[in-house]
Amino acid sequence: MTSVIDRSTGGPPGLVGGTCSGCGFVFFPYQRYGCERCGRYGADLVVRVLAGRGTVLAATVVHLHADARRSVPFTVAELRLDDGPVVRAVAADASAVGADAGAVAAGTRVEAVLVPIAEGEDELLGLRFRPERTERTERTERTERTGRTGGAA
Amino acid sequence: MAGQLGDLRPVYVVAVGWHRYQPLSETSYVELGLTAVRAALADAGIEWAGVDESFIGTGLLGMAVGRPMLKHLGALGRPLVHVENASASGSAAFRLGCVNVAAGLSDVALVLGVDKPRKVYRAPTGARGLADDAVVPFTHFSLLTEEYVGRYGVSVEDVALVAVKNHGNGADNPHAHRQQARTLEEVLGGKKVAGSLTSLQCCPVGEGAAAVIVASEEGIGRLGIDPGNAVRVASSAAVTETATSSDQQVTSDVIAQALAQAQTPASAVDVFELHDAFAIEEAQYVEAAGICPPGKYFPLLMQGAFDIGGQCAVSPSGGLIAMGHPIGPTGVGQIGELALQLRGAAGARQHPGARVGLAHLVGLGAVGYAHVLVRP
C-alpha cells in the first residue's frame, strides 16, 4: 500500500491527497477511482500533498475501544485542513509530544506530527495532530534545550 | 421527470408483527423471523397464501437467508429478495415493497426485517482515512455531540434527557430490547463510551424481527382485510450523502422530500420515529425535519413537547436507544409502531389523536430514508 504521509515537507508531515483537474475538488486520501464531485477519474486526478495543518472542528475523548493497538483514553479530532478537506485523526497526547502540547478543542490550530511506532507497524498509527507550534513555543523549546545541555556540561 | 410513490396507486400498511428485540441468544433467525411474520399474518387476518411476494431487510445474516426461513410458512414458489442498506436495510425493504404494490406488480407484500448481531465485514475500498481504526460509530456521534453542545451551549445533562425520555417510552413497549425506565442519574452514571456519551445514551444492537404487510385496495378487498386497520403510505423518499454533506443534511433533504410528496407540513407530524442510535441525533433530526427551529430542541424537550401527548411524540416506541437497533428489523419496526399509533392501537404508548406519522433512518454510507404514513 502506498504511503499517505509525505515526510519530505520540512515542516509538519504532509498528507497525500489529490485535486481533480476537471473541477478543482481537493480530496483526501489520494485515489484515482473518481472525483466525488464531478466523476472524472484516472489521470484527471492528480496528487496534491496537503499541508499537515488545520483547525479543529470538534474533538472527543474515547474511553472505550475494541482495537488493542490503541490504548484508551485517546482523543479523536475532526479538523478542516487548511487545504480544504475535513479529516478525522487522533490527537497527540502529552507524553508523546511534550507537556506543552496542551489539549485540542474546537477552534484549536493543529499540525501533524509523527510519533514513534514499533518496527513494521502501520504508519498511520504514528500520525497525530497537536496544537500548532508558534514561534514563541519554538523559541522556548530552544532555550530549554540549551539550558539542559549547559546543565549536563 | 422522475416520479414518486404518490403517482402510483394507493398502498397501505395493513398489518404489523414482531419478535421482541433482545440480546443475542440461542434462538435461530428462522424462529425470530417466523414469529414476526405469523404475528403480522394474524394481525391482517390472512393466510400466507395471500402474500404475493416478500422483501427481507437484513444487514448481518449473510447470503440467501430468506428461503430457509419462509419455506416453513409453506413453500409456494413466490418471489423474495434480500435488501441490505446498513442501518436502513428495513427502511429500504419497506420502500421496495410499497413501490411494487403501488406499481401493480403485487397486491400484497410482506416486508420483514430480521437480524442477529455478528461482526460486520466490509470489503476494503483501497482508500484509507487517517484513523479509520480509531473512528467507530460512537466516536462519530460523540464528535457530533461536541459540535452541537458547543454551538448551542447545551449541557451534558440536557443531552442525557433524550435517553431518559426514550427509556421511559421503551418501558411500555413489549417489543423493546430495553424495557426499563431510567433516571437522569442512571443515564449519566452508566459506562462512559466517548466524550459525555454513556452506554444508556447509545442504542443496543441485539437480535429480533419486525414484519409489516403492505397491500393495495384491490388486495385489501379481495382478502377481506379490515380497512379500519389500513394506514396509507403517503410518501417514500431516499437519498445518499453528497461529496460534502452530513448526516443532518441527509436527514433534512430526505425528510423535506417525503413531506413535500405527502403535501404535509412538518408541523402536522404527530408521531416521529427517527434514527436515535445516539442521543444527540434526536435533537439534530427533529431540527433537520423542521419540527422545531435549529437550537430549540432542548428547551422544547424540557417542556415535554416531544413526549407522548406533547406537540409531537418523538420515538414513542422507545426509539433505537430503548426499543433497540437490531439493524434489519429497525426500519420495519418503526413503520409498525407508526401504524399502531395511527390506528389508535398503541396501548400505553398511544399518542392521542395521532393522524400523521414520519419514519426516518440513516444508514452507513450514508443513505437516508423517510416515509410519511397517514390515517385515512
Side-chain angles (χ1 to χ4, degrees), chain B residues 98-262:
Chain B
C98 290
V99 167
N100 269 26
V101 169
L105 301 180
S106 300
D107 275 328
V108 180
L110 167 71
V111 182
L112 169 65
V114 57
D115 252 321
K116 289 176 74 76
R118 72 187 270 257
K119 191 169 165 49
V120 175
Y121 172 72
R122 295 182 80 199
T125 63
R128 315 171 68 198
L130 291 177
D132 291 342
D133 65 292
V135 180
V136 297
F138 66 67
T139 330
H140 171 72
F141 288 104
S142 182
L143 285 166
L144 296 186
T145 304
E146 302 288 344
E147 273 176 13
Y148 187 99
V149 162
R151 186 176 316 133
Y152 296 116
V154 170
S155 74
V156 167
E157 290 75 19
D158 294 345
V159 176
L161 289 172
V162 175
V164 173
K165 171 178 71 71
N166 292 352
H167 283 284
N169 291 347
D172 285 327
N173 186 346
H175 311 299
H177 184 126
R178 292 167 165 167
Q179 298 181 21
Q180 190 179 344
R182 299 286 188 173
T183 63
L184 181 60
E185 291 67 33
E186 285 176 300
V187 170
L188 290 169
K191 190 161 58 178
K192 280 170 92 80
V193 175
S196 61
L197 268 182
T198 53
S199 53
L200 289 175
Q201 296 174 70
C202 306
C203 63
V205 177
E207 65 183 26
V212 300
I213 295 171
V214 293
S216 63
E217 286 169 3
E218 290 79 353
I220 291 170
R222 181 161 50 78
L223 296 176
I225 295 168
D226 179 1
N229 280 346
V231 170
R232 174 85 188 263
V233 185
S235 67
S236 172
V239 302
T240 58
E241 205 170 66
T242 67
T244 52
S245 66
S246 61
D247 297 314
Q248 198 170 13
Q249 188 64 45
V250 160
T251 295
S252 155
D253 291 348
V254 77
I255 290 179
Q257 283 186 29
L259 291 173
Q261 285 180 29

Side-chain angles (χ1 to χ4, degrees), chain B:
Chain B
M1 168 82 181
Q4 54 195 44
L5 190 68
D7 301 336
L8 306 172
R9 66 176 179 165
V11 55
Y12 300 84
V13 176
V14 298
V16 303
W18 282 271
H19 183 290
R20 184 190 167 173
Y21 302 171
Q22 60 192 22
L24 179 63
S25 76
E26 296 294 313
T27 310
S28 73
Y29 82 87
V30 176
E31 186 68 36
L32 299 173
L34 291 174
T35 302
V37 178
R38 289 189 172 117
L41 290 169
D43 187 36
I46 64 172
E47 300 295 321
W48 173 236
V51 175
D52 298 322
E53 61 176 330
S54 299
F55 297 83
I56 302 162
T58 178
L60 304 173
L61 293 179
M63 188 186 285
V65 295
R67 210 193 82 88
M69 166 175 51
L70 296 185
K71 69 180 183 184
H72 297 294
L73 295 161
L76 304 179
R78 309 267 170 84
L80 68 83
V81 67
H82 305 86
V83 182
E84 186 274 307
N85 226 352
S87 291
S89 295
S91 312
F94 177 69
R95 174 174 161 89
L96 294 174
C98 290
V99 167
N100 269 26
V101 169
L105 301 180
S106 300
D107 275 328
V108 180
L110 167 71
V111 182
L112 169 65
V114 57
D115 252 321
K116 289 176 74 76
R118 72 187 270 257
K119 191 169 165 49
V120 175
Y121 172 72
R122 295 182 80 199
T125 63
R128 315 171 68 198
L130 291 177
D132 291 342
D133 65 292
V135 180
V136 297
F138 66 67
T139 330
H140 171 72
F141 288 104
S142 182
L143 285 166
L144 296 186
T145 304
E146 302 288 344
E147 273 176 13
Y148 187 99
V149 162
R151 186 176 316 133
Y152 296 116
V154 170
S155 74
V156 167
E157 290 75 19
D158 294 345
V159 176
L161 289 172
V162 175
V164 173
K165 171 178 71 71
N166 292 352
H167 283 284
N169 291 347
D172 285 327
N173 186 346
H175 311 299
H177 184 126
R178 292 167 165 167
Q179 298 181 21
Q180 190 179 344
R182 299 286 188 173
T183 63
L184 181 60
E185 291 67 33
E186 285 176 300
V187 170
L188 290 169
K191 190 161 58 178
K192 280 170 92 80
V193 175
S196 61
L197 268 182
T198 53
S199 53
L200 289 175
Q201 296 174 70
C202 306
C203 63
V205 177
E207 65 183 26
V212 300
I213 295 171
V214 293
S216 63
E217 286 169 3
E218 290 79 353
I220 291 170
R222 181 161 50 78
L223 296 176
I225 295 168
D226 179 1
N229 280 346
V231 170
R232 174 85 188 263
V233 185
S235 67
S236 172
V239 302
T240 58
E241 205 170 66
T242 67
T244 52
S245 66
S246 61
D247 297 314
Q248 198 170 13
Q249 188 64 45
V250 160
T251 295
S252 155
D253 291 348
V254 77
I255 290 179
Q257 283 186 29
L259 291 173
Q261 285 180 29
Q263 299 181 322
T264 302
S267 59
V269 175
D270 299 307
V271 191
F272 186 12
E273 287 283 326
L274 55 79
H275 182 275
D276 62 326
F278 301 90
I280 196 66
E281 291 183 88
E282 180 164 313
Q284 293 184 308
Y285 301 150
V286 167
E287 293 174 8
I291 287 172
C292 78
K296 296 291 185 240
Y297 169 84
F298 283 102
L300 286 165
L301 173 74
M302 284 177 243
Q303 292 165 24
F306 307 122
D307 290 345
I308 293 166
Q311 167 199 326
C312 171
V314 178
S315 293
S317 69
L320 278 58
I321 286 176
M323 183 161 183
H325 186 22
I327 311 295
T330 311
V332 183
Q334 288 185 323
I335 299 296
E337 174 71 13
L338 292 183
L340 288 180
Q341 291 282 343
L342 302 187
R343 276 188 209 170
R349 305 189 309 286
Q350 183 62 49
H351 181 66
R355 199 187 70 83
V356 176
L358 172 63
H360 154 269
L361 273 189
V362 289
L364 204 60
V367 299
Y369 282 81
H371 289 93
V372 174
L373 272 62
V374 177
R375 188 179 68 210

